Amino acid sequence: MIQFLFKGLMRDKSRSLIPIIVVALGVIITVFLQSLLSGVIGDSIESTANFTTGHVKVMTRSYSENSSQLPNDLALLGVDTLKESLQKQFPEMTWAERIQFGGLLDAPDSSGHTRSQGNVSGMGIRLLNSTEEISRMNLGPTLVSGKFPSNPGEMLLSDELCRKMKLKPGDKVTLISSGMYGDMAMYNFTVSGTLHFGITMLDRGLMIADIEDVRSALYMENASGEILGFFTNARYDNKLAKEAAKSFNAQYVNSQDKFAPVMLPLSEMNDMGFLVAYSENVQGIIVTIFIIAMAIVLWNAGLLGGLRRYGEFGLRLAIGESKHEVYLTIVAESLLIGIVGSVIGVIVGLLISWYMQTVGWDISSMMKDSNFLMPSVMRAHISSTTYYIGFVPGIFSTVIGAMLAGIGIYKRQTANLFKELEG
Amino acid sequence: MKTIVEVKNLVKKFPIGDGFFTALKGVNLIFTEGEFTGLVGPSGSGKTTLLNIIGTLDVPTDGDVIVLSKSVGNLSPKEAAQLRKEELGFIFQNYNLLPVYTVFENVEFPLLLLKMSAGERKQRVLETLEWVGLTDKVKSRPSQLSGGECQRVAIARAMVKRPRLVLADEPTANLDAANSHHILQTMEKLNRELKTTFIFATHDEKVIGYLHRIIRLADGKVVEDSSPLNSPKGDLKSESSQGTITNNNDLDSSPSGRLGGAL
Ligand SMILES: Nc1ncnc2c1ncn2[C@@H]1O[C@H](COP(=O)(O)OP(=O)(O)OP(=O)(O)O)[C@@H](O)[C@H]1O
Ligand SMILES: [Mg+2]
């Protein structure tokens, strides 16, 4: 019997081909959207993590409460030991100290007088003898002139600010800032390279120097505003990050010390919670939309197809099937169509996603001077979810569509089903 | 003779708007096994309605119909389907063949529901197609057949499971005279040799000429119930005497058992 229906399905293209195409198209879009959104959102999260928040960040309690003011007077002390214990407690993560600071850059003329000045927002990161942070922050492509620092005292400066201050690589500047203990700090740097990000906030006045230089400049011996933690070779996982933070913070829960370290997951920093929640729910949202949309399309297709088939249904009832059996076969047929359409859709969808993952779509020209930390190449991200997500709307929508369309059999009197074919 | 269908005080009302339309107004009839009977009457007299109720495709409003000892009013949908599956055959005015299936598959369909083995199905289908003279069209699609051929496929489909009762609603309405006589002769022969009971609904004079019993309906009531003395059309007799249809499965093996070729 199933074989018999299958034959009919194969031969009647309007019954098989059209629904399969509808399902496959819907599934392709579902798979592609899922991978693209999770790619783009995931990449945005990673950029933010790599640039500012880490997957988790360790600070002192007071620093975390005032972090927008970059209060280096509240920085972590004894960073060596703290980092060591972090490494021991979380071997699956890597750790990077960073210092954020603000200050004034002063460019002297040949006689030592001020030639030009500019405000900078600075970052101290590990730059010398390691490319880890350079590649993490993806600084490579942003270097417009000069080179990355290779000696102490060298630093990177926003290209825009350089031009404003009439500086070029090799020029000397003085950073004027406030030290960790509130006193004035002055330190000489040499511009080794200039950077352009295409992000207004950064291009206005970013300065990046090696963290040891920054420590010297701001009198922050073995101190650091923040220690960023990253899951090694993995994307941000909110559950893991929260667990890590919970287990770390548990050690200090009874401490009254406002300089005690505290760990925050990315989702609790910089308003990232919304993006994380969105990325966690994006699959559900896409799937729901597509189940409803495709079910409506297939329901109507089923109604049209069903109308043509009332003669067949009537005949089958006359031959000795009950309405219930006919209804079940309609649903079984739709299940088959759903599976076939979904398989095709998932394969094609994965291919497109794979292309968008490896090649991507360069949107940098479209978003000059954006305000967000956004990756300049849109990329899809194929995860385990991508492989099965298409089946959910693909199969649900066909079955729901067929179930709705099939109700017509019950609504009609058996004898009337034959009349549909007459005339 | 054994009673196959008993119609008792049958009333059928259809809801129309706020009220009802009474299509059958207290019909009493008894059909015995082996009959070749027609419900005859003008359009709207209730022929199809009565046939549908006998065929368990519709239910009585009042009264009862006993089909093969079962009261159709009391059957569950499942029991009714079971009765149709095992005992009843239907022939429709519009043939109602499934367009995507071949002649063979259309005829095979009822046997699939009976869960017959593939080998047995094949033998049955071919044998039945032989009765109606369509062995050369086994692989054709309905769209490739003439109206007469289509109706012969429909007859084969109704007969393939050897039902005890065949209900045929205007089987000749879409056929020309030659084809009408052809299929009527086929059915008459099946009736005679397999003892299958046939009940027709018709107003076609050609059909009426073949009937052994004529039940006239008018306005939902039986107005005449007669058994014409003139025997069925004679021209078939000489031909059919060449062979007989046997009600067992060894038909293939006996050349004398071939009916299809004679028709
Ligand atoms: N489902 C229905 N709803 C309402 N009225 C119906 C329904 N089915 C049949 N009727 C009415 O019942 C009456 C008898 O219909 P029926 O189909 O039995 O007539 P018939 O004798 O078969 O006619 P015909 O020769 O035209 O086929 C008609 O007046 C028809 O309009
Ligand atoms: Mg009728």
Side-chain angles (χ1 to χ4, degrees):
Chain A
M1 187 69 198
I2 288 164
Q3 217 183 337
F4 187 80
L5 290 169
F6 185 68
K7 252 189 247 170
L9 211 55
M10 295 291 294
R11 290 180 195 165
D12 188 349
K13 296 284 182 279
S14 70
R15 246 162 79 197
S16 50
L17 210 60
I18 292 166
I20 284 176
I21 289 170
V22 171
V23 173
L25 278 179
V27 170
I28 289 170
I29 299 171
T30 306
V31 169
F32 179 63
L33 267 188
Q34 188 272 338
S35 67
L36 187 68
L37 282 180
S38 95
V40 169
I41 295 173
D43 284 350
S44 302
I45 291 175
E46 289 313 302
S47 309
T48 305
N50 291 333
F51 227 89
T52 48
T53 62
H55 290 156
V56 297
K57 187 193 274 190
V58 178
M59 298 157 279
T60 65
R61 280 180 194 166
S62 317
Y63 185 100
S64 83
E65 282 156 18
N66 303 293
S67 59
S68 60
Q69 298 161 28
L70 312 176
N72 281 321
D73 51 324
L74 306 173
L76 293 160
L77 299 175
V79 170
D80 289 358
T81 25
L82 181 56
K83 211 176 138 185
E84 233 165 73
S85 79
L86 280 168
Q87 259 149 10
K88 211 172 284 163
Q89 195 182 348
F90 304 103
E92 73 282 5
M93 300 180 90
T94 49
W95 300 91
E97 305 125 86
R98 294 209 185 149
I99 297 174
Q100 298 197 52
F101 59 92
L104 187 72
L105 270 197
D106 185 285
D109 60 16
S110 50
S111 58
H113 294 107
T114 296
R115 177 166 57 105
S116 59
Q117 283 191 329
N119 284 311
V120 288
S121 56
M123 281 179 91
I125 66 172
R126 174 113 14 253
L127 270 179
L128 296 178
N129 311 321
S130 161
T131 56
E132 193 185 338
E133 290 271 81
I134 291 177
S135 62
R136 176 174 291 140
M137 290 169 72
N138 198 23
L139 297 180
T142 66
L143 187 72
V144 211
S145 65
K147 59 179 183 56
F148 287 112
S150 50
N151 298 302
E154 291 182 344
M155 60 100 146
L156 300 163
L157 196 59
S158 132
D159 195 58
E160 203 179 307
L161 185 64
C162 267
R163 249 178 275 159
K164 243 187 248 163
M165 291 178 66
K166 300 196 170 55
L167 291 169
K168 57 184 189 314
D171 287 352
K172 289 199 162 35
V173 288
T174 305
L175 170 72
I176 304 164
S177 181
S178 67
M180 189 167 166
Y181 303 102
D183 40 356
M184 180 148 121
M186 303 229 298
Y187 199 80
N188 290 333
F189 283 97
T190 307
V191 178
S192 76
T194 66
L195 306 175
H196 176 78
F197 291 90
I199 297 166
T200 321
M201 198 177 68
L202 301 176
D203 287 328
R204 207 183 293 142
L206 183 70
M207 138 175 193
I208 302 178
D210 184 68
I211 190 160
E212 293 306 335
D213 282 326
V214 175
R215 280 178 178 146
S216 307
L218 307 180
Y219 313 114
M220 292 180 72
E221 193 58 37
N222 199 17
S224 154
E226 320 172 333
I227 301 177
L228 273 51
F230 298 92
F231 296 110
T232 316
N233 301 327
R235 297 193 139 217
Y236 179 67
D237 182 327
N238 197 33
K239 213 174 120 224
L240 291 180
K242 277 183 152 165
E243 272 166 18
K246 201 171 154 201
S247 80
F248 180 82
N249 296 335
Q251 303 166 69
Y252 303 96
V253 75
N254 291 319
S255 162
Q256 301 296 320
D257 185 0
K258 62 189 183 117
F259 290 99
V262 62
M263 186 186 284
L264 289 185
L266 172 140
S267 59
E268 289 170 25
M269 291 182 278
N270 292 34
D271 299 322
M272 291 299 282
F274 172 74
L275 205 55
V276 170
Y278 191 70
S279 82
E280 283 174 340
N281 295 318
V282 68
Q283 358 259 24
I285 296 166
I286 299 173
V287 164
T288 312
I289 291 171
F290 274 83
I291 286 182
I292 294 170
M294 286 160 67
I296 290 171
V297 172
L298 292 165
W299 173 16
N300 286 299
L303 282 179
L304 291 176
L307 232 48
R308 293 197 307 109
R309 290 179 71 194
Y310 278 136
E312 175 197 329
F313 300 151
L315 174 83
R316 284 166 55 182
L317 293 173
I319 283 175
E321 282 183 273
S322 63
K323 283 186 174 181
H324 195 57
E325 286 169 305
V326 172
Y327 186 74
L328 283 181
T329 62
I330 295 172
V331 175
E333 278 182 30
S334 72
L335 188 65
L336 191 70
I337 284 172
I339 291 172
V340 173
S342 298
V343 168
I344 295 171
V346 166
I347 292 172
V348 178
L350 277 173
L351 283 174
I352 300 174
S353 299
W354 176 79
Y355 177 84
M356 272 300 276
Q357 178 172 283
T358 42
V359 178
W361 178 27
D362 193 337
I363 50 167
S364 53
S365 56
M366 292 166 68
M367 35 178 280
K368 278 201 172 83
D369 297 330
S370 81
N371 287 310
F372 310 103
L373 214 48
M374 266 266 294
S376 60
V377 180
M378 256 171 116
R379 279 183 202 285
H381 175 71
I382 296 174
S383 62
S384 55
T385 314
T386 318
Y387 287 88
Y388 68 78
I389 194 166
F391 285 98
V392 182
I395 289 171
F396 267 77
S397 61
T398 32
V399 171
I400 292 171
M403 286 170 87
L404 290 172
I407 292 171
I409 300 179
Y410 290 100
K411 287 215 194 113
R412 279 177 171 70
Q413 290 182 326
T414 306
N416 278 354
L417 284 169
F418 304 106
K419 290 192 181 158
E420 305 277 348
L421 211 80
E422 280 171 24
Chain B
M1 281 276 225
K2 238 170 91 187
T3 299
I4 191 160
V5 176
E6 187 174 358
V7 181
K8 292 197 265 191
N9 257 322
L10 179 63
V11 174
K12 179 67 185 180
K13 295 180 181 179
F14 291 110
I16 303 182
D18 298 335
F20 289 98
F21 177 82
T22 310
L24 295 173
K25 301 171 179 167
V27 173
N28 287 288
L29 286 168
I30 288 180
F31 298 89
T32 50
E33 226 162 351
E35 278 193 26
F36 200 71
T37 298
L39 307 171
V40 180
S43 189
S45 55
K47 308 182 291 291
T48 299
T49 306
L50 179 54
L51 216 55
N52 281 343
I53 295 173
I54 294 173
T56 75
L57 297 176
D58 213 338
V59 288
T61 309
D62 210 351
D64 201 1
V65 175
I66 316 283
V67 180
L68 291 155
S69 324
K70 293 191 178 80
S71 162
V72 300
N74 298 333
L75 294 180
S76 70
K78 213 175 155 187
E79 290 166 332
Q82 177 91 0
L83 179 67
R84 295 196 296 273
K85 179 158 71 183
E86 289 169 359
E87 311 283 9
L88 306 186
F90 290 86
I91 298 168
F92 309 95
Q93 172 181 339
N94 48 52
Y95 330 131
N96 225 335
L97 302 180
L98 303 181
V100 295
Y101 297 101
T102 63
V103 166
F104 184 95
E105 288 161 345
N106 265 284
V107 177
E108 183 190 23
F109 191 27
L111 301 183
L112 289 171
L113 294 185
L114 293 170
K115 307 219 155 55
M116 217 173 253
S117 74
E120 206 177 341
R121 289 202 303 267
K122 186 171 181 193
Q123 190 191 340
R124 279 275 194 112
V125 172
L126 292 177
E127 174 187 284
T128 311
L129 284 173
E130 218 166 79
W131 298 346
V132 298
L134 279 176
T135 35
D136 53 336
K137 302 282 187 193
V138 170
K139 291 211 167 84
S140 305
R141 293 282 181 86
S143 58
Q144 299 163 324
L145 302 179
S146 72
E149 286 169 333
C150 281
Q151 197 56 301
R152 275 145 71 194
V153 176
I155 293 170
R157 181 180 59 195
M159 290 304 299
V160 71
K161 62 185 168 193
R162 315 287 160 75
R164 298 193 33 206
L165 174 61
V166 172
L167 303 169
D169 196 352
E170 316 267 11
T172 57
N174 290 340
L175 300 179
D176 60 22
N179 272 311
S180 295
H181 284 297
H182 196 151
I183 69 128
L184 282 162
Q185 285 160 14
T186 309
M187 289 191 279
E188 211 243 349
K189 183 152 202 162
L190 291 166
N191 165 256
R192 183 153 18 91
E193 307 201 340
L194 297 179
K195 301 283 172 275
T196 310
T197 310
F198 279 80
I199 304 178
F200 294 88
T202 188
H203 43 221
D204 181 352
E205 286 303 325
K206 296 187 289 297
V207 178
I208 295 168
Y210 283 84
L211 297 174
H212 302 177
R213 177 184 173 194
I214 297 168
I215 297 165
R216 282 192 195 279
L217 292 182
D219 199 16
K221 281 184 284 215
V222 177
V223 292
E224 188 193 325
D225 187 346
S226 62
S227 299
L229 291 175
N230 60 314
S231 60
K233 296 264 163 170
D235 52 348
L236 185 75
K237 268 189 175 168
S238 55
E239 287 178 64
S240 63
S241 59
Q242 291 166 11
T244 50
I245 302 169
T246 51
N247 202 2
N248 51 38
N249 291 337
D250 54 19
L251 210 134
D252 289 333
S253 54
S254 97
S256 63
R258 295 190 177 214
L259 175 83
L263 288 170

